[in-house]
């Protein structure tokens, strides 16, 4: 287990198309987070799971966005009817709670470009 | 919810100088404050963190200080090297929903 994996690394899609991203967390981590990062900004929270339960969704997450973690392992993030404003880096992170530190391990991200 | 502000947005120093990046947070109950380094095109990586029961933590050339009364924390890098050039993000743990809330980042440039 070498860390958090995200697939694909890059995705170019036409406006209006649906896209799905996958995240495989560190295997023993029970929490999984999705963040979005645009150029020059810090990671912006989207949603997170503890095991298979989705515990919080940001108000920024419109109804075009949906995330799942069906078996408490990998997660998918789907964006329906993509818009140009969805262009960003989508970062996944995982952590284990409870533990001494609450720090995340991030994946390398999926860069989405909507044209 | 938690809100984190970070300053400065850019910081240029000469190799060997010290660099200080400051963050403030809004939720006085926040109890965990990590710092991440993100090099161009790479993932954010945790470089140091501090919990609210500690005022200072040091790891070689980097240190973090926390002032709970003033609700601010700072990253200190001494003897900077060109490889320290990156974007640094502070974060605070939202006690309500237990997620990390990030600052907007500081681009550090260390010139040889």
């Amino acid at each position: 287990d070498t860390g958090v994996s995200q697939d694909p690394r890059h995705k170019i899609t036409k406006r209006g198309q649906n896209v799905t991203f996958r995240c495989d967390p560190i295997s023993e981590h029970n929490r999984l987070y999705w963040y979005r990062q645009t150029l020059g900004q810090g990671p912006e929270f989207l949603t997170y799971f503890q095991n298979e339960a989705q515990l919080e969704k940001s108000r920024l997450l419109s109804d075009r966005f949906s995330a799942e973690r069906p078996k408490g392992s990998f997660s998918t993030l789907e964006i329906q009817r993509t818009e140009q404003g969805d262009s960003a880096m989508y970062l996944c992170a995982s952590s284990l709670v409870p533990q001494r530190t609450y720090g995340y391990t991030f994946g390398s991200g999926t860069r989405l470009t909507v044209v | 919810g938690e809100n984190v502000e970070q300053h400065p947005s850019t910081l240029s120093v000469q190799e060997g100088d010290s660099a200080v990046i400051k963050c403030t947070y809004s939720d006085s109950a926040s109890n965990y404050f990590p710092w991440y380094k993100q090099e161009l095109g790479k993932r954010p990586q945790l470089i140091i963190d501090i919990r609210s029961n500690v005022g200072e933590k040091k790891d070689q050339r980097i240190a973090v200080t926390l002032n709970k009364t003033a609700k601010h924390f700072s990253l200190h890098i001494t003897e900077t090297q060109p490889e320290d050039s990156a974007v640094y993000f502070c974060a605070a743990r939202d006690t309500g929903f237990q997620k990390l809330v990030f600052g907007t980042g500081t681009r550090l440039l260390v010139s040889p």
Side-chain angles (χ1 to χ4, degrees):
Chain A
D1 190 333
T2 56
V4 179
S5 300
Q6 291 188 247
D7 184 70
R9 292 294 304 275
H10 303 274
K11 179 70 177 179
I12 300 174
T13 191
K14 292 184 178 180
R15 190 172 49 187
Q17 297 294 305
N18 299 343
V19 294
T20 300
F21 310 142
R22 176 177 170 128
C23 172
D24 287 88
I26 292 173
S27 57
E28 62 266 28
H29 283 184
N30 53 359
R31 284 205 177 167
L32 185 149
Y33 308 82
W34 286 99
Y35 281 77
R36 178 171 63 189
Q37 187 177 27
T38 53
L39 197 63
Q41 297 297 313
E44 185 177 48
F45 173 76
L46 295 178
T47 188
Y48 89 93
F49 295 84
Q50 177 149 329
N51 301 313
E52 65 274 11
Q54 188 173 20
L55 296 187
E56 188 190 357
K57 285 178 61 172
S58 167
R59 284 172 291 178
L60 299 171
L61 214 62
S62 77
D63 56 8
R64 297 184 298 106
F65 288 71
S66 62
E68 293 183 340
R69 194 183 183 199
K71 297 182 180 179
S73 56
F74 73 92
S75 175
T76 57
L77 177 69
E78 181 183 18
I79 309 174
Q80 296 182 327
R81 305 181 304 281
T82 52
E83 302 172 355
Q84 286 189 321
D86 297 331
S87 295
M89 174 74 83
Y90 289 83
L91 291 166
C92 176
S94 67
S95 69
L96 176 64
V97 291
Q99 65 168 0
R100 184 194 62 79
T101 176
Y102 301 110
Y104 298 171
T105 300
F106 278 95
S108 296
T110 294
R111 181 169 295 284
L112 173 66
T113 302
V114 181
V115 297
Chain B
E2 179 65 272
N3 183 52
V4 177
E5 295 189 354
Q6 183 172 348
H7 301 280
S9 57
T10 59
L11 180 59
S12 293
V13 300
Q14 292 292 121
E15 183 177 359
D17 288 349
S18 295
V20 181
I21 303 170
K22 299 181 180 180
C23 289
T24 60
Y25 60 98
S26 60
D27 183 356
S28 57
S30 289
N31 60 2
Y32 175 70
F33 307 92
W35 286 88
Y36 286 82
K37 176 183 180 182
Q38 187 174 30
E39 297 178 62
L40 191 62
K42 296 189 176 180
R43 72 187 75 189
Q45 292 198 304
L46 178 68
I47 55 171
I48 195 167
D49 56 10
I50 191 168
R51 297 188 69 160
S52 59
N53 58 348
V54 175
E56 183 174 1
K57 184 178 178 181
K58 191 173 182 179
D59 182 4
Q60 299 182 344
R61 295 187 297 108
I62 60 172
V64 57
T65 58
L66 172 65
N67 182 327
K68 287 191 296 181
T69 303
K71 292 189 286 187
H72 68 70
F73 57 111
S74 300
L75 177 70
H76 305 254
I77 306 175
T78 58
E79 301 171 19
T80 54
Q81 301 168 3
E83 51 265 39
D84 294 329
S85 297
V87 179
Y88 291 81
F89 294 99
C90 63
R93 183 173 179 258
D94 181 300
T95 53
F97 293 103
Q98 303 181 358
K99 64 181 185 290
L100 292 180
V101 177
F102 286 83
T104 50
T106 295
R107 182 173 300 278
L108 174 65
L109 177 62
V110 181
S111 303

